[in-house]
Amino acid sequence: MNKNGRLDFHTYFQAQVEKDESVGRVTTFTHGIYTISTESNTLTGELSGKFHYNCHQVSDYPAVGDWVVFQPFENDTKALIHRVLNRQTLLSRKKAGTSNDEQVIAANIDKVFIVTALTKEFNERRLERYVQQVYESGAIPVIVCTKRDLCENVEEKLASVQRAAPGVPFHAIDNMSGGGVEELSKELISGETISLIGSSGVGKSTLINRLMNKSVQSTQEVRSSDDRGRHTTTHRELFQLLNGTYIIDTPGMRELQLWGDEMMVDTTFSDIDELATNCKFRNCKHEKEPGCAVRIAIESGELEEERLKSYNKLKRELFRLDLKDRYGTHKTNRMLHGSNKNEFLHKLD
């Protein structure tokens, strides 16, 4: 326990607060209104005019999981937010559309449960993208495979999980009966914060209800034709479990546009990165170079060709994102489609 009375208010955040300042954690955000939780009560918060004035980009605004300094009023029922404490970790994605803006999913998280169903929804390439974004956030990825009871080839699917995310812990569960949830509960540590991410219909809300041991999130049936669900969860929300773990539920994602640094791709694809250390040439592109350890692994069946394609795709996607950030969308498109295309793509090594 710390002086604030909350297990999640770690020394990293305590050091940023003056003695007389009021501080709380954002638990929800909808339509410009924040819900702020403190050790003793819950307040409805809004941003001060100065805060708005000093914000230069979308990611500067408070997100669910953020710690904020505020001024209480109306008998401690409302709050005026003055600043956001420096974040320890930040889970983001590129905002959908043609803009080059960052969209914050959750702040100050220790682990991310990447939830995927072991049914039609399962996709190795999508799983790689999720793992990539979690590593970029600074949090620890954990893969939660739901609907185990509806899968006829569980071991085969779990082998696919291991190929897509080498070294990442994974758990197969049945949300309805609770099978496997006890083992998953070992990932829940008092004082830590976990965020759930995944597509609609994979069972995030059902999992939240089971971990909370009560119904706090509504659930819906998924379509049998494509195993997809509707957006049951419409906003991000932070809950506290009985053991002192904090957990953030998020709306289902149709797609995950990456945000971050291409260098982190090597962490996600640690198997390719390790193989590449044995390539004959240091700047090997893993295409037709002699002595390429990655190509040898593909030919022997040790590594799938599709995984290498995914590796290159994610690198290029993040490289383009970096160029757009530096030069703008139009200039980047000209560079990548003009005579200098090969020169720029060569920087991927």
Side-chain angles (χ1 to χ4, degrees):
M1 193 70 69
N2 52 59
K3 64 179 182 180
N4 187 267
R6 286 183 58 114
L7 295 169
D8 52 343
F9 191 57
H10 307 310
T11 55
Y12 175 83
F13 306 111
Q14 294 175 28
Q16 301 178 50
V17 181
E18 299 296 330
K19 183 178 180 180
D20 297 327
E21 288 183 320
S22 298
V23 62
R25 197 172 191 190
V26 175
T27 58
T28 64
F29 170 63
T30 54
H31 308 296
I33 302 298
Y34 297 86
T35 301
I36 302 170
S37 178
T38 71
E39 61 178 313
S40 58
N41 65 336
T42 300
L43 303 89
T44 300
E46 58 185 47
L47 302 176
S48 68
K50 184 177 181 181
F51 191 107
H52 276 294
Y53 180 80
N54 289 329
C55 280
H56 302 293
Q57 52 194 11
V58 176
S59 58
D60 291 338
Y61 288 89
V64 173
D66 268 324
W67 287 95
V68 296
V69 171
F70 64 89
Q71 178 184 348
F73 63 99
E74 290 195 12
N75 296 319
D76 286 349
T77 60
K78 294 186 178 181
L80 195 61
I81 299 173
H82 292 296
R83 64 185 175 94
V84 176
L85 300 189
N86 294 335
R87 294 156 170 162
Q88 198 163 32
T89 59
L90 186 66
L91 179 64
S92 303
R93 65 174 175 174
K94 179 184 172 297
K95 192 174 182 179
T98 58
S99 69
N100 206 45
D101 295 329
E102 177 183 12
Q103 181 182 31
V104 176
I105 299 172
N108 301 314
I109 48 177
D110 299 284
K111 291 176 184 171
V112 176
F113 282 1
I114 302 169
V115 186
T116 183
L118 293 174
T119 48
K120 296 176 184 177
E121 192 274 339
F122 184 80
N123 185 296
E124 284 187 56
R125 305 288 81 85
R126 185 192 300 121
L127 197 55
E128 290 166 345
R129 297 178 72 85
Y130 280 125
V131 172
Q132 162 66 25
Q133 206 55 58
V134 174
Y135 277 133
E136 180 67 38
S137 75
I140 298 171
V142 176
I143 298 171
V144 181
C145 303
T146 62
K147 305 184 182 181
R148 184 180 68 182
D149 57 315
L150 301 178
C151 180
E152 297 179 353
N153 54 339
V154 174
E155 294 305 320
E156 182 180 328
K157 287 286 180 66
L158 294 182
S160 297
V161 171
Q162 289 180 292
R163 287 195 301 270
V168 176
F170 62 92
H171 301 269
I173 68 171
D174 172 13
N175 275 355
M176 302 310 294
S177 71
V181 174
E182 183 177 352
E183 185 67 23
L184 174 64
S185 296
K186 295 178 182 178
E187 301 284 355
L188 307 177
I189 298 175
S190 181
E192 287 193 348
T193 301
I194 295 170
S195 177
L196 271 62
I197 59 173
S199 304
S200 298
V202 296
K204 297 190 303 299
S205 295
T206 303
L207 178 58
I208 286 275
N209 290 339
R210 184 164 289 280
L211 294 176
M212 291 286 293
N213 201 29
K214 62 180 178 179
S215 181
V216 295
Q217 295 289 72
S218 60
T219 59
Q220 295 181 15
E221 294 293 328
V222 300
R223 296 190 300 263
S224 59
S225 59
D226 60 2
D227 203 34
R228 291 298 183 91
R230 287 173 289 182
H231 292 293
T232 307
T233 301
T234 58
H235 62 275
R236 299 172 181 90
E237 185 168 359
L238 184 148
F239 300 93
Q240 182 178 358
L241 303 183
L242 291 176
N243 77 326
T245 303
Y246 297 82
I247 193 161
I248 299 174
D249 195 10
T250 64
M253 300 180 188
R254 295 297 185 193
E255 62 176 335
L256 178 65
Q257 296 195 45
L258 299 182
W259 181 272
D261 187 344
E262 66 177 274
M263 298 302 294
M264 289 301 297
V265 176
D266 291 331
T267 303
T268 302
F269 293 81
S270 58
D271 50 345
I272 294 178
D273 188 48
E274 184 176 350
L275 286 168
T277 60
N278 295 317
C279 289
K280 182 176 181 180
F281 300 105
R282 182 181 177 185
N283 62 343
C284 183
K285 289 291 189 180
H286 317 311
E287 294 174 349
K288 297 181 180 179
E289 297 91 339
C292 173
V294 175
R295 298 305 315 178
I296 292 173
I298 290 174
E299 291 166 6
S300 68
E302 180 185 350
L303 181 72
E304 292 183 344
E305 179 81 41
E306 290 302 313
R307 183 157 170 82
L308 177 61
K309 289 181 180 178
S310 181
Y311 167 82
N312 289 327
K313 179 182 179 182
L314 267 58
K315 280 239 176 185
R316 285 185 168 86
E317 186 175 334
L318 288 169
F319 177 62
R320 288 185 175 91
L321 182 66
D322 179 56
L323 287 181
K324 287 180 180 179
D325 186 54
R326 285 188 283 170
Y327 303 112
T329 300
H330 295 299
K331 186 174 181 179
T332 295
N333 289 339
R334 289 198 303 270
M335 290 189 294
L336 291 177
H337 290 88
S339 58
N340 293 328
K341 177 181 178 180
N342 290 333
E343 175 186 344
F344 283 102
L345 292 181
H346 181 68
K347 294 181 180 180
L348 289 175
D349 57 24

